[in-house]
Amino acid sequence: MMMDLVLFVACLGFFHTSEYALVWLFNPTELSHESWLLSTSYCAAMALAVVEYFVESAAVPHWKNQSESLVWAGFLVVVLGEALRKGAILTARASFTHAIQMERRPQHQLVTHGVYSICRHPGYLGWMLWCVGTQVLLRNPACTLIFLVWSWKFFAERIPHEEKILLEMFGRRYRDYAEKTRLWIPLIPSPVLLDPRARIV
């Protein structure tokens, strides 16, 4: 096994095990097999990444044998993404859930301190960095672009939907928070900021 592939497997193992463990720690009632975050589309994407890695290793081995610094740059992005996401979970604790909550639970609080003071959705930004970083680490040019576009499209749909729900849950407090805190994922409009008539509770 090459060093980059070993790092890739280690990053996946740590990410999914720690995600499951943190749900068990902070939201035990939400714990299920889905807490591993291994959806069909995600597994297919990671399988595609492995296929690209081995095809390019066989067809154009010099792509994988050069630029070792790219491996460590990718690993650094992975670590940064992990730190940001895990920082979000450890800060929000029970208020952080994998699934969007349609109704406010008793323990659900609007978290605005820690990493949330510099980014509205640090868990999403962290996952996006982690996801793309794994492909830079493998020196997979095609999957780096695919994962970047795929993760952006996923959040371009999810974030506006979630922010509408948060506005309904927390009203003006969430609007004030959104107005002063950046998203950091580019080109995703916020319904909270674009529509001043958005529902305030």
Side-chain angles (χ1 to χ4, degrees):
M1 273 194 179
M2 304 297 293
M3 175 187 63
D4 48 4
L5 192 60
V6 172
L7 282 173
F8 172 72
V9 172
C11 289
L12 262 63
F14 178 82
F15 175 81
H16 293 289
T17 302
S18 60
E19 290 286 320
Y20 187 89
L22 288 169
V23 175
W24 172 81
L25 181 62
F26 295 127
N27 280 302
T29 59
E30 302 286 328
L31 194 66
S32 71
H33 69 279
E34 293 181 351
S35 302
W36 291 104
L37 298 183
L38 293 169
S39 68
T40 302
S41 59
Y42 170 86
C43 290
M46 286 302 176
L48 177 64
V50 173
V51 168
E52 181 185 357
Y53 177 84
F54 281 111
V55 167
E56 291 173 356
S57 294
V60 279
H62 61 280
W63 283 16
K64 305 298 184 184
N65 295 331
Q66 296 178 359
S67 303
E68 187 174 304
S69 59
L70 202 57
V71 175
W72 295 111
F75 183 66
L76 183 62
V77 174
V78 167
V79 171
L80 177 61
E82 271 281 21
L84 189 57
R85 182 170 174 85
K86 296 308 188 284
I89 297 173
L90 292 172
T91 301
R93 302 169 71 89
S95 294
F96 189 103
T97 57
H98 287 155
I100 295 175
Q101 301 299 303
M102 303 305 294
E103 296 181 359
R104 185 177 176 181
R105 301 169 300 150
Q107 68 270 40
H108 194 177
Q109 304 296 319
L110 177 60
V111 181
T112 61
H113 63 281
V115 290
Y116 288 89
S117 66
I118 58 174
C119 179
R120 290 205 305 278
H121 296 280
Y124 295 162
L125 177 60
W127 187 85
M128 189 173 185
L129 290 171
W130 177 88
C131 181
V132 174
T134 61
Q135 299 313 299
V136 176
L137 185 158
L138 289 176
R139 291 169 287 189
N140 281 353
C143 277
T144 296
L145 181 60
I146 290 169
F147 278 42
L148 178 62
V149 173
W150 170 59
S151 59
W152 181 88
K153 287 189 68 176
F154 176 77
F155 291 127
E157 295 177 2
R158 184 181 178 102
I159 288 174
H161 172 61
E162 183 171 350
E163 293 209 326
K164 288 180 181 178
I165 296 170
L166 289 169
L167 184 63
E168 292 182 1
M169 286 183 180
F170 298 105
R172 192 166 300 280
R173 289 177 58 209
Y174 189 75
R175 185 189 294 283
D176 292 344
Y177 167 69
E179 286 177 346
K180 67 181 181 181
T181 310
R182 292 187 62 173
L183 181 59
W184 293 106
I185 301 176
L187 304 177
I188 297 181
S190 169
V192 179
L193 302 179
L194 290 180
D195 184 5
R197 299 167 298 175
R199 183 180 173 190
I200 295 287
V201 184

